[in-house]
Amino acid sequence: ARVDSSGAITSAAHTSLGTMGSHLWGSDEQKAEWMPQLCSGRRLAAFGLTEPEAGSDAGNTRTTARLEDGEWVIDGAKQFITNAGFADLFIIFAKVDGEKFTAFIVERGTPGFETAPIKMKMSMRASYTGEIVLSDCKVPAEALLPNSKGLGSPLACLNQARLGIAWGAIGAAKACFHSTIEYARSRVQFGKPIASKQLIQAQLVDMASEIAKADLMNLHFSRLKDAGKLTPYH
């Protein structure tokens, strides 16, 4: 993230969301098929949760799935999906019978499944953010992720991703700090670089201190995660 936040978020969406969803909720058969491909990077994953009318309010999902002749038929739309344009596997959330919040594996190329890019983003433009449209998208019965039960499933996955997002923010902050120092050393006023001024130096010290505190906090939380003690409150 210090070099390129677009690259970082592309990797994070693949690992912490798409791949993690398969790992947490998939059957043994699904994991045997997909995990080696996803963990090696031979195939890439995406996470289809947010919708035009369901952003932070994920429970307002309007995508539906119904069982017909032994197949699941999914209808709906997902928006602001990282990796939408090139992922091979999509974890798609839909409501069954109007209320059961459930996840499905949908592969690219499935009839009724289409993606479109969201253009003119303000930043992270090298990260493909797109829309997913599902129109009578039929997937086999075994595409359902059996251990996905309720809204808690995607929220648990998002909790997994938050630690990576925190580290990414620190990477970006370090890049900003480096750029600020370079500018302060090259910007000359009254015959001296502004970096020689105590007010500027104090501001740089404040920046460095805040970044160091965030770095240490994330390291602490990462160690808690390794020990199995990290909670959503953290």
Side-chain angles (χ1 to χ4, degrees):
R2 181 171 178 171
V3 175
D4 182 2
S5 290
S6 292
I9 203 68
T10 298
S11 175
H14 164 67
T15 55
S16 298
L17 295 177
T19 301
M20 185 61 70
S22 306
H23 171 66
L24 291 176
W25 314 314
S27 65
D28 291 340
E29 293 77 14
Q30 288 168 333
K31 288 189 280 190
E33 177 183 359
W34 282 103
M35 294 307 292
Q37 299 183 63
L38 296 175
C39 291
S40 66
R42 295 196 304 272
R43 308 288 291 276
L44 294 178
F47 190 77
L49 176 63
T50 55
E51 300 183 0
E53 303 300 327
S56 300
D57 183 14
N60 193 36
T61 292
R62 299 183 182 182
T63 299
T64 62
R66 63 187 187 276
L67 197 58
E68 287 186 0
D69 300 324
E71 292 183 310
W72 289 103
V73 183
I74 306 174
D75 286 286
K78 301 294 181 179
Q79 199 166 33
F80 304 118
I81 307 303
T82 302
N83 299 350
F86 51 77
D88 304 289
L89 172 145
F90 295 80
I91 304 298
I92 298 293
F93 292 90
K95 286 184 177 178
V96 178
D97 298 330
E99 57 182 33
K100 296 178 182 178
F101 209 84
T102 311
F104 299 84
I105 289 178
V106 181
E107 295 184 53
R108 179 174 298 283
T110 302
F113 178 92
E114 297 180 355
T115 60
I118 296 174
K119 298 181 179 179
M120 300 304 294
K121 294 197 299 179
M122 184 179 293
S123 63
M124 294 192 187
R125 293 192 180 186
S127 166
Y128 191 117
T129 305
E131 179 185 15
I132 297 173
V133 178
L134 304 112
S135 303
D136 285 334
C137 180
K138 296 181 179 180
V139 297
E142 55 269 23
L144 183 146
L145 288 162
N147 297 317
S148 170
K149 298 177 181 178
L151 185 59
S153 293
L155 296 182
C157 208
L158 291 171
N159 278 335
Q160 297 284 338
R162 285 193 174 99
L163 184 62
I165 295 298
W167 279 114
I170 291 175
K174 289 181 177 179
C176 292
F177 181 66
H178 179 73
S179 296
T180 302
I181 289 179
E182 286 189 337
Y183 177 79
R185 287 172 173 169
S186 62
R187 172 67 171 171
V188 176
Q189 291 289 283
F190 305 104
K192 294 182 179 180
I194 62 173
S196 66
K197 304 298 182 180
Q198 287 186 337
L199 178 60
I200 300 298
Q201 292 171 358
Q203 291 172 333
L204 291 172
V205 167
D206 287 342
M207 289 178 67
S209 298
E210 292 301 314
I211 292 171
K213 287 190 289 184
D215 225 345
L216 291 170
M217 183 183 70
N218 278 5
L219 178 60
H220 172 63
F221 287 156
S222 296
R223 287 170 172 165
L224 287 179
K225 182 173 173 60
D226 285 343
K229 298 179 180 179
L230 189 69
T231 71
Y233 300 103
H234 293 129

